[in-house]
C-alpha cells in the first residue's frame, strides 16, 4: 500500500484551506489512531480489516471542512465522501470499494449521527473521536473556540455544575456537551481504553483550571 498517491492528492485538495483543528496533521493523527486500534484488535480474527480501504478513508475523511457554527455542519462528512470518491479512484482504490469508502467517511462524523455498519467505518469513527480527547483534543477545542470568539468560561459557574452547559457560549462547556460523552460511543475495546486515559487527563486539567480561577 503506497502512501504517496493519497497524501499527494490530499495535500493538493486540502492544502492550507483546512481549519487548524482539521488540517493535515489531524489527518495523520487519525491514521495513526487507526493503526493503533487495528494493532490492538489484531486478536479478533472474526473481524478482518481492509487496510487499503481504511487508509483511503482516513486520508480523505475531512476533505470538506465547514465551520463549527455553520447551519449545514452535519453535511460536511457527506460532502467529503462525495469529494473523496474520484480522488480515491485516481489513487488506485478499486471501484468496488468506493461505496464502503463513502460510508466510512460519512459515518465518522459526530454531527452526522450515522451508525457505522462496517469494521472500517467503526475504526475510523473511533480514531477520529480519539483525536478530540486528551492533550491534543484539549488544544484543538481551545483553537476552535478561540476562532469563534467564545469566552473561555462562564464566570459564576465555569464548569457548568449548576446550569445547563452551552458550548455555543463558553468554550469549557464543550467538555460537558460532547467531549466527556465520547468514550461511551466508541466501538472497539482498544479505542475505549485509550479514550478513558485521555478523558481522565482532561478531567484533571479542569480540576487544575478550576483551582486557578477561583476567586475566594
Amino acid at each position: 500500500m503506497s502512501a504517496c498517491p493519497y497524501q499527494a492528492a490530499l495535500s493538493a485538495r486540502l492544502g492550507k484551506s483546512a481549519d487548524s483543528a482539521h488540517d493535515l496533521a489531524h489527518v495523520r493523527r487519525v491514521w495513526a489512531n487507526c493503526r493503533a486500534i487495528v494493532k490492538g484488535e489484531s486478536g479478533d480474527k472474526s473481524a478482518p480489516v481492509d487496510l487499503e480501504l481504511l487508509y483511503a478513508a482516513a486520508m480523505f475523511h475531512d476533505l470538506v471542512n465547514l465551520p463549527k457554527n455553520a447551519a449545514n455542519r452535519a453535511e460536511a462528512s457527506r460532502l467529503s465522501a462525495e469529494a473523496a470518491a474520484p480522488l480515491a479512484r485516481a489513487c488506485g482504490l478499486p471501484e468496488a470499494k468506493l461505496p464502503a469508502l463513502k460510508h466510512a467517511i460519512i459515518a465518522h462524523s459526530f454531527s452526522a449521527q450515522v451508525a457505522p455498519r462496517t469494521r472500517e467505518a467503526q475504526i475510523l469513527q473511533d480514531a477520529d473521536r480519539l483525536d478530540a480527547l486528551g492533550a491534543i483534543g484539549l488544544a484543538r477545542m481551545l483553537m476552535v473556540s478561540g476562532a469563534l470568539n467564545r469566552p473561555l468560561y462562564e464566570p459564576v459557574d465555569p464548569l457548568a455544575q449548576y446550569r445547563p452547559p452551552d458550548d455555543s457560549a463558553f468554550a469549557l462547556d464543550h467538555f460537558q456537551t460532547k467531549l466527556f460523552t465520547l468514550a461511551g460511543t466508541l466501538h472497539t475495546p482498544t479505542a475505549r481504553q485509550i479514550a478513558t486515559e485521555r478523558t481522565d487527563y482532561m478531567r484533571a486539567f479542569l480540576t487544575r483550571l478550576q483551582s486557578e480561577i477561583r476567586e475566594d
Side-chain angles (χ1 to χ4, degrees):
M1 180 175 58
S2 174
C4 296
Y6 285 96
Q7 292 191 10
L10 177 65
S11 297
R13 178 62 185 262
L14 204 58
K16 298 181 179 180
S17 64
D19 67 71
S20 55
H22 299 88
D23 56 7
L24 294 171
H26 164 68
V27 172
R28 290 193 291 267
R29 290 193 304 271
V30 168
W31 174 234
N33 289 340
C34 286
R35 296 198 309 272
I37 293 169
V38 171
K39 181 179 180 180
E41 301 296 304
S42 60
D44 185 1
K45 302 303 182 183
S46 65
V49 178
D50 185 333
L51 289 177
E52 180 184 43
L53 172 61
L54 182 60
Y55 181 74
M59 287 294 103
F60 294 150
H61 77 279
D62 270 343
L63 276 179
V64 176
N65 287 286
L66 299 176
K68 286 289 186 181
N69 57 352
N72 62 336
R73 173 68 186 174
E75 291 299 310
S77 65
R78 295 186 186 277
L79 296 172
S80 292
E82 293 301 322
L87 292 177
R89 184 185 294 113
C91 287
L93 189 71
E95 192 76 23
K97 295 185 180 184
L98 293 182
L101 170 76
K102 294 170 71 173
H103 168 68
I105 292 175
I106 292 170
H108 94 273
S109 169
F110 184 88
S111 56
Q113 295 295 297
V114 174
R117 300 189 304 268
T118 66
R119 190 63 168 168
E120 293 77 21
Q122 290 176 342
I123 292 172
L124 179 62
Q125 189 183 92
D126 283 4
D128 186 67
R129 293 183 182 190
L130 285 178
D131 204 50
L133 299 175
I136 191 65
L138 173 61
R140 293 176 68 214
M141 184 272 288
L142 292 174
M143 285 194 299
V144 171
S145 295
L148 295 172
N149 295 314
R150 292 173 181 164
L152 182 59
Y153 58 87
E154 195 276 327
V156 176
D157 185 10
L159 303 189
Q161 294 172 304
Y162 308 103
R163 62 178 175 81
D166 180 5
D167 61 358
S168 68
F170 305 104
L172 292 190
D173 286 18
H174 195 56
F175 287 100
Q176 305 295 340
T177 60
K178 179 180 178 182
L179 300 185
F180 288 159
T181 73
L182 291 180
T185 71
L186 302 181
H187 303 277
T188 61
T190 299
R192 289 195 292 269
Q193 181 179 359
I194 298 170
T196 297
E197 186 275 330
R198 293 189 180 191
T199 301
D200 288 344
Y201 174 89
M202 294 191 300
R203 291 188 186 278
F205 167 82
L206 285 185
T207 299
R208 174 59 184 263
L209 183 144
Q210 187 175 34
S211 73
E212 293 183 5
I213 63 179
R214 290 180 60 179
E215 299 180 2
D216 56 309

